[in-house]
Amino acid sequence: MRVARFSHGGDPVFGVVELAADGGPNPDTVAVVTGDPLAGPVHYTGERIDLAEVRLLSPVIPRSKVIGVGRNYAAHAAELGNTVPDLPLTFFKPNTSVIGPGEAIVRPPETSNLHFEGELAVVIGRISRRVPRERAAEVIFGYTVANDVTARDLQQTDGQWTRAKGFDTFCPLGPWIVTHLGLDEVADLEVTTTLNGETRQQGNTSAMTYQVADLIAHISDFTTLLPGDVILTGTPAGVGPMVAGDEVTVSIEGIGTLTNPVVGQES
Ligand code: ZN
């Protein structure tokens, strides 16, 4: 199932996306549901809308947190002169950094080196604390695509990454949450980032040092995960700068494609 959050002229609602490519209706359609799929059971209203006619929003607004993971792909760690850490290296992004598909990433005046980082994102479905690795699948609601936008210059000068990773608009998520993939499947997905149509990152989740179950076990050992919390699993090699006027697209095989324009902010 692909769970989308969208607006169609009114308040945001949730729906289930049905793609023609999967044998669904043609054109692609979203079936409207009542309630929030992350909060409990939902019911189809019977209304179906062409996907092209809705504005997709971030499929989730994390209630409490987005947890990022640094240096989880050896080739990316190496390109910035780092090694893979002995334990997952984690940081928080505030939920106010989250934006949806098509929304603008705003370059703040404090940075002159704004980078894209295409990443697999895990959406948590249950309140969870100290989840053993072998039970990680039970607490996952689904997966989406993320861009862990980073002010690379501030990441280096600040030491702590909170500001470099935490500006408003620095966490595009979408286009929807895929709930039908197993841990084995998400351990072998192509992750591709293009800038203005040119491929910049081409990696595979199989190269992650710490896999999704490792990350959930490690993170839930120090913080309680809540439904709607999001874990960004780290980025493959090829990160690089974006400037105002650029368009950045992150695609993950079997999940979807997330595109955002970049704009500048004077101050
Ligand atoms: Zn990242």
Side-chain angles (χ1 to χ4, degrees):
M1 195 164 73
R2 292 178 181 82
V3 176
R5 184 170 156 271
F6 64 95
S7 78
H8 185 237
D11 289 336
V13 291
F14 290 90
V16 174
V17 174
E18 296 166 336
L19 299 179
D22 289 345
N26 193 358
D28 298 336
T29 298
V30 59
V32 182
V33 299
T34 59
D36 178 348
L38 275 158
V42 297
H43 300 283
Y44 287 89
T45 65
E47 187 184 4
R48 288 185 144 71
I49 309 171
D50 284 1
L51 187 60
E53 285 178 17
V54 307
R55 187 163 75 91
L56 291 175
L57 305 170
S58 171
V60 57
I61 299 294
R63 274 165 68 182
S64 68
K65 55 199 171 292
V66 176
I67 306 103
V69 175
R71 302 170 190 164
N72 199 22
Y73 289 76
H76 165 65
E79 75 181 343
L80 296 180
N82 300 303
T83 53
V84 169
D86 293 335
L87 286 172
L89 173 61
T90 55
F91 56 90
F92 286 124
K93 286 169 90 84
N95 57 6
T96 43
S97 64
V98 171
I99 59 172
E103 279 189 74
I105 297 164
V106 180
R107 182 188 70 78
E110 288 82 3
T111 180
S112 53
N113 195 14
L114 186 69
H115 275 206
F116 52 81
E117 295 190 356
E119 309 197 3
L120 171 71
V122 183
V123 182
I124 298 298
R126 286 171 47 175
I127 299 175
S128 11
R129 173 89 174 124
R130 293 198 179 276
V131 181
R133 203 185 168 287
E134 58 278 10
R135 298 194 64 178
E138 297 171 28
V139 310
I140 297 171
F141 179 76
Y143 301 91
T144 190
V145 180
N147 190 340
D148 176 23
V149 177
T150 303
R152 194 69 70 202
D153 44 359
L154 303 185
Q155 185 183 27
Q156 282 150 5
T157 54
D158 280 3
Q160 298 285 327
W161 298 357
T162 309
R163 183 167 70 131
K165 300 276 194 180
F167 281 96
D168 290 356
T169 78
F170 274 25
C171 191
L173 296 175
W176 41 64
I177 302 169
V178 169
T179 63
H180 55 263
L181 294 175
L183 282 170
D184 288 357
E185 292 165 292
V186 297
D188 183 16
L189 298 177
E190 287 287 313
V191 180
T192 306
T193 306
T194 65
L195 191 70
N196 305 322
E198 240 174 64
T199 302
R200 296 300 174 86
Q201 293 187 283
Q202 181 85 68
N204 190 291
T205 55
S206 60
M208 293 188 344
T209 302
Y210 302 104
Q211 287 289 328
V212 169
D214 302 317
L215 296 176
I216 288 175
H218 178 75
I219 293 165
S220 70
D221 277 351
F222 72 82
T223 188
T224 300
L225 294 170
L226 301 182
D229 282 353
V230 173
I231 297 172
L232 310 185
T233 59
T235 198
V239 299
M242 308 181 282
V243 297
D246 283 347
E247 184 180 76
V248 62
T249 296
V250 183
S251 296
I252 301 184
E253 181 188 6
I255 299 180
T257 295
L258 172 67
T259 297
N260 298 89
V262 181
V263 302
Q265 175 189 315
E266 288 313 314
S267 61

